[in-house]
Amino acid sequence: MTTVLRLARPYLGRLVGAGLLAAGTEIAGVALMATATWLLMTAAGQPPISALTVAIVSVRALAIGRGVLRYTERLTGHDAVLRILTDVRARVFATLATSRRAARSGDALSRVVSDVDSVQDLLLRVLVPGAAAAAVSVLAVGGAALVSPAAATALAVGLLVAGIGLPAAATALTRRTAERVAPLRGALANDAVDLTHGAADLAAYGATGAALDAARRRAGELARLERRLATAGWAVDGVGVLVSGATAGAVAAVALAAGVDGVLVGVLAVGTLAAVETCLALVAAARQLTELRAPLARVTSLLEPASPAPASSPVDISDITVRYRPDGPPALDGVGVELPPGRRLGVVGPSGAGKSTLLAALAEWGGSPREVGGLLAEAHVFHATVRENLLLGRPDGTDDDLAAACAVAGLLDWVREQPDGWDTVVGEDGGQLSGGQRQRLALARAVLLDPAVLLLDEPTEGLDPAAADAVLAGVLGAARGAVVLVTHRLRGLEGVDEVIVLDAGRVAARGTHAELVEAPGWYRDQWLAQEAAERGYLVARP
Amino acid sequence: MRRRPFDPRLLRRVPATRRQFAALGFLGVAAAVVVIAQATTLAALLAGAAGGRLDRAALAGFVAAVAARAGVVWAQGVVAARAAATVKAALRGELLTAVGQRGPQWVAGQRAGEIATLAGRGLDALDAYFTGYLPQLVLGVTVPVAVLGRMVLADWSSALIVAVTLPLIPIFGALLGWHTEAATKRQWRRLSMLGGHFLDMVSGLPTLRAFGREKAQVDVVRRMADEHRVATMRTLRIAFLSGMVLELVATLSVALVAVPIGLRLLAGGVALQTALLVLLLAPEAYLPLRAAGARFHASMEGLTALDAALSLSTVEAPRRTGVVPGPVREIRLESVTVEYERTVALRDVSLTIRAGERVAIIGPSGAGKSTLLGLLLGFVQPTAGRVLVDGVDLATLDLDAWRQRLAWVPQRAHLFAASLADNIRLGAPGASGEAVRMAVKAAALDEVVEALPDGLETVLGERGHGLSSGQRQRVALARAFVRDAPILLLDEPTARLDGGSEAAVLDATRRLVAGRTALMVAHRPALLAEADRVIRVTDGRVVSLAGTAA
């Protein structure tokens, strides 16, 4: 939380302004009721009307002022918070971009985005009401003390209970509820996933009924727990009402006993009700803060300056060994490659064999994407134009360069058909494109990058076989440097210089396509199977 | 999107809530009564104070009224929270039951994710609606009516002011809400694109890094976030206007009531206690409506989830009672055509499978191989033609009884968030530990089990997290072994296996199909060798190829 506040420092003026306006709004509310009460009680003594003029004007002014103040406060507050949020986003992004915490999954990354939004809630729904309540309390107690110190003491006690005691109770209860409810909710979410995503397995094995009963039992259990916990949770709100009334009654009684003028007693009592109400808003703020704690902690950890990436030993591509954990099994174990210019290297193997790990190691060896780079796993297509997506690799690329790259990837005709051409927006994660177009766009981007060693991770995934063969041949023909091609589809490897078959991080076999097909093993089985599936007839059994 | 504040379908679908809603209504009336009592006693207390004396009866009444109000607030919260819990449990049950009734074909794909989210965390958004919005809505009816009634008795001219200004709250609320919505809609595309930009950049970080652009994008992120701020502020300036107008209506009404009655006090035309009562009551009339309005937005998510849940109707599947006595001798497809929404999966397919036959199915992906298995499982119904089991139409068979005879190894088996042993005995919950261990060995899973911290009792995470796809495939095979069914349906059982375990799984599959009727979708030559004959599916049509082992 302090880190967030430190980030807020440049905007402290605006933030304090918002807090003051919020306090002003609340004070206007308290003053409106107090002045109106004074007006009525004084009028009852039938003084000359001139004695009431100020009060009449004040009541009207406060009535209008409160609405205007609230509007200004909300605008100022949101403006300050959005400015802070801009900074937070930039800082978090910078941290993510520079740190080596690259292994985050897509889910974790999108959680970062919603975590960052929690900063907004912290400032607007917790800090601003907190500041307003504090200001109102100080002024109310100060004002009351001028009339009657005894009454001021009673008011202070009420405000403390409403503004600190009850929020603390709410925090404890919310936390306890979360601790008991959260695991049950998580289990129920698992049940829901199992019943929907596992619907076919359950049906086929006649287990739907039992799973359904278990889920319904869990939902019932959760409902029983929620019902029970509500009793305690809502007691805080009930006590809040009680505190405001009891404080008002006590203030009136104490003031009367102290011989305070009757009119002022009325003003004190009504003002007390309104002031305690302001502090009770902190109960909701406390509940909010409890829920914000975890996301705020995650954001804070991303706001710290990124620790520099540990100096990794230079990669020797004649003997690559990679471990994800120091004591874990190697993901790659002594894999050696040679990549002179013009070399075409194929990498195949079952999933999990280390193919993508090999590409990552080669990218690290190259140092910069212009040296070694291309189409890596989980290529993201940005919600921007075709041009912006393509230029990622080469910001200075001309339209001719774009056209050449798209021609190789087989995307050019489609781009030409679009009314907006290169400026066609591709939608969220390429949502406006078909799967094939999306893949071709990612491939064209890699071709445009034109590095010394072009890495291609499943470049033709999602393309139909004929198109895949044509595109792959085009890319292999167009690349000026070396190419490392990871693929599950073996067709197209006939022309590469060497194929490495990886299995569990080791080189299981290597050689040309012709050599590998001759020898018994994974490659040959796979080749025969794929040919059988594609051509639809059976090649003689081995 | 506009939603009605209350969905009447709820009362019909979850009858248990009727009593809770009745209780909320009753508490709403009680709340109105205590509001009046509190204002009345406080006015008496203050009128007494004006004369310099402490009206003990009024003070006691005031404290009692406040205590009663506290009780009502507590009871309202508790009842509303209980109603929320009841509704959520009932709707969750209904949603998941609907999935069970409509079958796997209906729930497949995107819908599975939607329903899982809805039944899981989606419905929890109803808490805000039930505890925040709904009670205020009830108070928004009962309190203004009671306040107006009391004011008419005390001072009809003040009552008139409140009666005239009160409707302005919902009217202005609706008008401004409508205008704000239009304004926001005009901005929406831009706002959502700018707002989504950060998410887009963060999700695309690995790609940015792959192109060495991650540092260059920091400034872009800042610039876009700033543009987002400017655009958001433009919308907020209009959006907050509605809040201000509503607040002004409420506070100005207090001024409109207080000033004239103060002047009449001056003239001696009204008693102080009456004037104070009117002043204290006036703001109470506006409060619930404004509170409801302020919370409507927060409860929208809950209302949307509620609508989605109520719109998914449950269908009672017709009871099928047909059974095939004794061992199945023959399964026959008679000119079966299966059409999906956009594609035809199978066209006029006729095929006979006799008991003990092992049939391999080959063909390119998407040709209809899995649909063929889905037909036999009863997941897919023929659009035309029939599937006959010993001459009885599968459509009339009791599916649970029929599936007792099947074991299925799908392409991607779902692993449940339960222990590995429970996952394996999915189709035979009564299977002994010995039977499970035998299946583990037969499916070449024993090494995997040994490596797990609690062996067979290890609880798998969500969707079987923690096992590789090859290991999951072997769990599916173990399931089939435990099931010990006469008819096997295998959908590429050796796909996605790592090289080391492939041979073991092939051996396991060989043992599994021995002596049973089997339909195997297969690619690998090694598995094809087990088949008595091979059929090829291309573009929805089936061609028999010469038997390889016959």
Short mmCIF file of all heavy atoms in Angstrom, two decimals, chain B residues 164-178 245-246 289:
data_model
loop_
_atom_site.label_atom_id
_atom_site.label_comp_id
_atom_site.label_asym_id
_atom_site.label_seq_id
_atom_site.Cartn_x
_atom_site.Cartn_y
_atom_site.Cartn_z
N VAL B 164 -44.40 16.18 -4.70
CA VAL B 164 -44.11 16.66 -6.05
C VAL B 164 -42.66 16.35 -6.45
O VAL B 164 -42.37 15.96 -7.57
CB VAL B 164 -44.38 18.18 -6.15
CG1 VAL B 164 -43.85 18.73 -7.47
CG2 VAL B 164 -45.88 18.44 -6.05
N THR B 165 -41.73 16.52 -5.48
CA THR B 165 -40.32 16.36 -5.84
C THR B 165 -39.88 14.89 -5.87
O THR B 165 -38.97 14.53 -6.61
CB THR B 165 -39.40 17.12 -4.87
OG1 THR B 165 -39.75 16.74 -3.54
CG2 THR B 165 -39.56 18.61 -5.03
N LEU B 166 -40.55 14.06 -5.07
CA LEU B 166 -40.12 12.66 -4.97
C LEU B 166 -40.07 11.93 -6.32
O LEU B 166 -39.08 11.26 -6.62
CB LEU B 166 -41.04 11.93 -3.99
CG LEU B 166 -40.52 10.61 -3.43
CD1 LEU B 166 -39.17 10.79 -2.77
CD2 LEU B 166 -41.51 10.05 -2.42
N PRO B 167 -41.12 12.07 -7.14
CA PRO B 167 -41.07 11.35 -8.43
C PRO B 167 -39.92 11.81 -9.32
O PRO B 167 -39.55 11.11 -10.26
CB PRO B 167 -42.42 11.68 -9.07
CG PRO B 167 -43.28 12.16 -7.98
CD PRO B 167 -42.38 12.79 -6.97
N LEU B 168 -39.39 13.01 -9.02
CA LEU B 168 -38.29 13.50 -9.86
C LEU B 168 -37.09 12.56 -9.79
O LEU B 168 -36.32 12.45 -10.74
CB LEU B 168 -37.86 14.90 -9.42
CG LEU B 168 -38.90 16.02 -9.66
CD1 LEU B 168 -38.34 17.35 -9.18
CD2 LEU B 168 -39.26 16.09 -11.14
N ILE B 169 -36.93 11.89 -8.64
CA ILE B 169 -35.75 11.00 -8.50
C ILE B 169 -35.79 9.89 -9.55
O ILE B 169 -34.86 9.79 -10.36
CB ILE B 169 -35.68 10.41 -7.08
CG1 ILE B 169 -35.55 11.55 -6.07
CG2 ILE B 169 -34.59 9.37 -6.96
CD1 ILE B 169 -34.21 11.72 -5.45
N PRO B 170 -36.85 9.05 -9.58
CA PRO B 170 -36.84 8.02 -10.63
C PRO B 170 -36.89 8.62 -12.04
O PRO B 170 -36.25 8.10 -12.96
CB PRO B 170 -38.08 7.17 -10.33
CG PRO B 170 -38.88 7.92 -9.35
CD PRO B 170 -37.97 8.87 -8.65
N ILE B 171 -37.64 9.74 -12.21
CA ILE B 171 -37.76 10.29 -13.57
C ILE B 171 -36.40 10.80 -14.05
O ILE B 171 -35.92 10.42 -15.13
CB ILE B 171 -38.80 11.43 -13.60
CG1 ILE B 171 -40.21 10.84 -13.39
CG2 ILE B 171 -38.74 12.17 -14.93
CD1 ILE B 171 -41.29 11.89 -13.23
N PHE B 172 -35.77 11.64 -13.22
CA PHE B 172 -34.44 12.13 -13.60
C PHE B 172 -33.45 10.98 -13.74
O PHE B 172 -32.63 10.96 -14.65
CB PHE B 172 -33.91 13.14 -12.58
CG PHE B 172 -34.43 14.54 -12.80
CD1 PHE B 172 -34.30 15.52 -11.83
CD2 PHE B 172 -35.03 14.87 -14.00
CE1 PHE B 172 -34.77 16.81 -12.05
CE2 PHE B 172 -35.51 16.16 -14.22
CZ PHE B 172 -35.38 17.12 -13.24
N GLY B 173 -33.57 10.05 -12.80
CA GLY B 173 -32.66 8.90 -12.85
C GLY B 173 -32.74 8.19 -14.18
O GLY B 173 -31.74 7.91 -14.82
N ALA B 174 -33.99 7.94 -14.62
CA ALA B 174 -34.18 7.23 -15.88
C ALA B 174 -33.70 8.08 -17.06
O ALA B 174 -32.99 7.60 -17.94
CB ALA B 174 -35.64 6.86 -16.05
N LEU B 175 -34.12 9.39 -17.05
CA LEU B 175 -33.75 10.26 -18.17
C LEU B 175 -32.24 10.37 -18.30
O LEU B 175 -31.68 10.20 -19.39
CB LEU B 175 -34.34 11.66 -17.95
CG LEU B 175 -35.80 11.84 -18.36
CD1 LEU B 175 -36.26 13.25 -18.04
CD2 LEU B 175 -35.94 11.56 -19.85
N LEU B 176 -31.60 10.66 -17.15
CA LEU B 176 -30.15 10.86 -17.20
C LEU B 176 -29.44 9.56 -17.51
O LEU B 176 -28.47 9.54 -18.27
CB LEU B 176 -29.66 11.44 -15.88
CG LEU B 176 -29.98 12.92 -15.74
CD1 LEU B 176 -29.87 13.34 -14.29
CD2 LEU B 176 -29.04 13.74 -16.60
N GLY B 177 -29.96 8.48 -16.94
CA GLY B 177 -29.36 7.18 -17.21
C GLY B 177 -29.40 6.88 -18.69
O GLY B 177 -28.43 6.43 -19.29
N TRP B 178 -30.53 7.21 -19.29
CA TRP B 178 -30.72 6.96 -20.72
C TRP B 178 -29.75 7.82 -21.54
O TRP B 178 -29.09 7.36 -22.45
CB TRP B 178 -32.16 7.29 -21.07
CG TRP B 178 -32.47 7.18 -22.52
CD1 TRP B 178 -32.55 6.05 -23.27
CD2 TRP B 178 -32.71 8.27 -23.41
NE1 TRP B 178 -32.85 6.35 -24.56
CE2 TRP B 178 -32.95 7.72 -24.68
CE3 TRP B 178 -32.76 9.65 -23.25
CZ2 TRP B 178 -33.24 8.50 -25.80
CZ3 TRP B 178 -33.05 10.43 -24.37
CH2 TRP B 178 -33.28 9.85 -25.62
N VAL B 245 -27.60 15.60 -10.03
CA VAL B 245 -28.99 16.06 -10.11
C VAL B 245 -29.83 15.37 -9.04
O VAL B 245 -30.63 16.00 -8.36
CB VAL B 245 -29.55 15.79 -11.53
CG1 VAL B 245 -31.04 16.04 -11.56
CG2 VAL B 245 -28.83 16.66 -12.53
N LEU B 246 -29.63 14.07 -8.86
CA LEU B 246 -30.41 13.34 -7.86
C LEU B 246 -30.10 13.87 -6.46
O LEU B 246 -31.00 14.05 -5.64
CB LEU B 246 -30.10 11.84 -7.94
CG LEU B 246 -30.47 11.18 -9.27
CD1 LEU B 246 -30.31 9.68 -9.18
CD2 LEU B 246 -31.90 11.53 -9.65
N LEU B 289 -34.54 5.46 -2.41
CA LEU B 289 -34.55 5.48 -3.87
C LEU B 289 -33.17 5.81 -4.41
O LEU B 289 -32.71 5.21 -5.39
CB LEU B 289 -35.56 6.52 -4.38
CG LEU B 289 -37.01 6.05 -4.42
CD1 LEU B 289 -37.92 7.17 -4.88
CD2 LEU B 289 -37.15 4.85 -5.36
#
